[in-house]
């Protein structure tokens, strides 16, 4: 596997379910991100992990819970979601340096539908 | 607040040239990125500008004017496969990426 992978690609869940999204990066990067992408809206940054430490949590509801066990893996645990949480969830990684640019590499996303 | 503005949708003809504009108001500036996103796929990196001027990369070029808070992405010799959304993003003073909503580009034969 190369790049950034995400599983599952599609997920349908009820509001009372608990599920987890998985992301894995094979690029040796030290930072990983969760984004939410809704139709015709800007990408919304949810969480950032840098060297496995969470450095950003953009006022995300507690029904979303991230986990970063190591610099290659990132999870997003979901529970008691709402229909408005239906969206494409994108994982990204980058190599954070003190100088230079470091573009983010995205996974294919998980299309989540909450019923 | 921080804001990135880009047109919602543009249409162009195969073989032609199209310019997609992006204006931004952010807390500081540490670079501007353009990404391409085909429907149902992940965004992929196209270009990066941190200094004023034009960066050319094959059929794609990106321009930046920091004093005007303005950038554009220029696509030449358009091909049908260029039909996609183009996302503008600015890295602010905290090194966080602020994203535009994207411009959907439709290429017609």
């Amino acid at each position: 596997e190369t790049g950034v992978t995400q599983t599952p690609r599609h997920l349908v869940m009820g509001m009372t379910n608990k599920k987890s999204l998985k992301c894995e990066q094979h690029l040796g990067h030290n930072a990983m991100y969760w984004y939410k992408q809704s139709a015709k809206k800007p990408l919304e940054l949810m969480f950032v992990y840098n060297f496995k430490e969470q450095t950003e949590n953009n006022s995300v509801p507690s029904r979303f819970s991230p986990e970063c066990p190591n610099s290659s893996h990132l999870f997003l645990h979901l529970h008691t979601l709402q229909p408005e949480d239906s969206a494409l969830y994108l994982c990204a990684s980058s190599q954070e340096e003190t100088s230079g640019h470091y573009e983010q590499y995205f996974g294919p996303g998980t299309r989540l539908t909450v019923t | 607040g921080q804001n990135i503005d880009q047109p919602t949708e543009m249409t162009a003809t195969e073989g032609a040239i199209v310019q997609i504009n992006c204006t931004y108001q952010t807390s500081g500036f540490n670079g501007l990125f353009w990404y391409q996103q085909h429907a149902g796929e992940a965004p992929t990196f196209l270009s990066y500008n941190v200094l004023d001027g034009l960066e050319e990369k094959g059929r794609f070029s990106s321009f930046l004017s920091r004093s005007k808070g303005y950038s554009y992405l220029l696509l030449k010799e358009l091909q049908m496969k260029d039909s996609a959304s183009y996302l503008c993003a600015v890295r602010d003073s905290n090194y966080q990426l602020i994203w535009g909503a994207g411009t959907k580009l439709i290429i017609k034969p």
Side-chain angles (χ1 to χ4, degrees):
Chain A
E1 291 271 23
T2 57
V4 182
T5 58
Q6 289 185 244
T7 54
R9 294 293 309 276
H10 300 273
L11 178 62
V12 179
M13 59 186 289
M15 290 191 286
T16 58
N17 290 159
K18 286 184 180 182
K19 296 286 184 183
S20 295
L21 309 184
K22 179 182 176 182
C23 175
E24 184 173 359
Q25 59 99 357
H26 309 268
L27 300 167
H29 289 163
N30 57 16
M32 297 186 77
Y33 312 79
W34 278 118
Y35 284 95
K36 176 183 179 182
Q37 187 174 36
S38 302
K40 299 186 179 180
K41 288 186 177 180
L43 282 173
E44 297 176 47
L45 179 64
M46 300 175 72
F47 301 104
V48 180
Y49 278 83
N50 202 321
F51 292 101
K52 301 187 300 177
E53 298 294 322
Q54 185 175 316
T55 58
E56 193 75 27
N57 176 342
N58 284 349
S59 304
V60 180
S62 60
R63 57 186 183 270
F64 295 92
S65 173
E67 179 190 358
C68 187
N70 55 61
S71 58
S72 298
H73 293 85
L74 187 64
F75 295 89
L76 188 62
H77 304 298
L78 317 170
H79 64 97
T80 59
L81 294 190
Q82 304 298 310
E84 60 264 28
D85 296 323
S86 298
L88 181 67
Y89 288 84
L90 290 164
C91 173
S93 71
S94 67
Q95 184 61 27
E96 295 295 294
E97 304 284 354
T98 56
S99 62
H101 77 87
Y102 25 85
E103 67 267 27
Q104 295 181 7
Y105 292 79
F106 286 83
T110 296
R111 173 67 63 187
L112 174 66
T113 303
V114 181
T115 61
Chain B
Q2 309 205 85
N3 194 51
I4 308 284
D5 286 316
Q6 46 180 137
T8 303
E9 188 174 298
M10 299 182 70
T11 302
T13 304
E14 190 177 17
I17 299 173
V18 71
Q19 177 175 310
I20 302 174
N21 295 326
C22 171
T23 57
Y24 61 90
Q25 300 91 37
T26 57
S27 303
F29 178 84
N30 281 296
L32 184 144
F33 297 79
W34 283 97
Y35 282 79
Q36 179 190 60
Q37 186 177 22
H38 286 100
E41 297 183 13
T44 55
F45 169 76
L46 284 178
S47 68
Y48 171 78
N49 295 71
V50 68
L51 299 176
D52 291 351
L54 189 68
E55 295 280 342
E56 296 186 76
K57 192 184 290 186
R59 293 189 298 115
F60 293 6
S61 303
S62 57
F63 171 83
L64 174 67
S65 169
R66 288 171 296 170
S67 63
K68 296 181 179 178
Y70 167 70
S71 172
Y72 67 73
L73 181 69
L74 191 71
L75 292 74
K76 302 176 183 176
E77 301 168 16
L78 286 170
Q79 303 175 10
M80 298 302 293
K81 67 178 182 180
D82 297 329
S83 293
S85 288
Y86 291 85
L87 312 179
C88 175
V90 172
R91 195 181 299 278
D92 68 9
S93 58
N94 293 320
Y95 285 84
Q96 293 298 327
L97 273 180
I98 311 301
W99 293 84
T103 299
K104 182 178 180 180
L105 178 63
I106 300 168
I107 309 298
K108 295 186 174 180

